[in-house]
């Protein structure tokens, strides 16, 4: 009993969806003007990946900076000199890594800005991305 309504419904849907296709096929074709076809532009050009890389490096630097600050504060509450020294060493290492990531982020953004401001031919020549 349940099969009959579903078959009738599916047949009605096929007929209803098929009718506009047959009706449009009978209409005369409208003359179109040939327009030049443009290749779709990618969302991010090669040099704009530098901005994304700069953002990722800056976020990584922020994360390491917060970790370093937390370790430095934690070392102040420790009673053992050895544990405090080890914690401060981890804080210094994380702080150094965060500073290097900030520098790399700045260099990546500066590279992206330079390529953005150059003419297209010069930017393509100076681009560091690999083209397949």
């Amino acid at each position: 009993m349940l099969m009959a309504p579903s078959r009738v419904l599916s047949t009605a849907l096929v007929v209803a969806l098929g009718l506009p296709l047959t009706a449009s096929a009978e209409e005369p074709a409208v003359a179109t003007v040939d327009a030049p076809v443009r290749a779709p532009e990618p969302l991010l050009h090669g040099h704009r990946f530098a901005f994304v890389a700069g953002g990722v490096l800056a976020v990584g630097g922020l994360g390491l900076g917060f970790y370093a600050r937390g370790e430095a504060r934690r070392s102040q509450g420790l009673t053992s000199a050895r544990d405090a020294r080890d914690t401060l060493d981890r804080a210094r290492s994380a702080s150094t890594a965060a500073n290097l990531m900030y520098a790399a982020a700045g260099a990546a953004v500066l590279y992206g800005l330079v390529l953005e401001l150059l003419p297209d031919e010069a930017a393509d020549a100076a681009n560091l991305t690999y083209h397949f």
Side-chain angles (χ1 to χ4, degrees):
M1 290 287 180
L2 191 57
M3 292 285 225
S6 65
R7 285 185 183 171
V8 171
L9 181 63
S10 63
T11 305
L13 282 174
V14 168
V15 170
L17 293 175
L19 283 179
L21 293 176
T22 58
S24 65
E26 294 173 2
E27 294 177 5
V30 177
T32 59
V33 177
D34 289 335
V37 178
R38 299 177 99 187
E41 291 188 22
L43 180 64
L44 289 175
H45 294 286
H47 59 277
R48 293 201 179 132
F49 283 114
F51 297 123
V52 173
V56 168
L57 286 169
V59 168
L62 281 172
L64 281 174
F66 284 127
Y67 174 75
R69 182 180 291 182
E71 287 293 298
R73 285 186 182 161
R74 191 171 83 87
S75 70
Q76 293 173 354
L78 294 175
T79 56
S80 169
R82 179 185 217 180
D83 291 340
R85 185 190 68 217
D86 291 341
T87 306
L88 276 176
D89 286 342
R90 280 194 303 272
R92 284 188 191 110
S93 297
S95 174
T96 302
N99 289 338
L100 289 174
M101 289 182 90
Y102 291 143
V109 169
L110 183 66
Y111 169 73
L113 282 174
V114 165
L115 288 182
E116 190 72 34
L117 297 175
L118 283 176
D120 288 336
E121 296 83 21
D124 288 338
N127 198 351
L128 296 177
T129 57
Y130 181 74
H131 300 284
F132 291 101

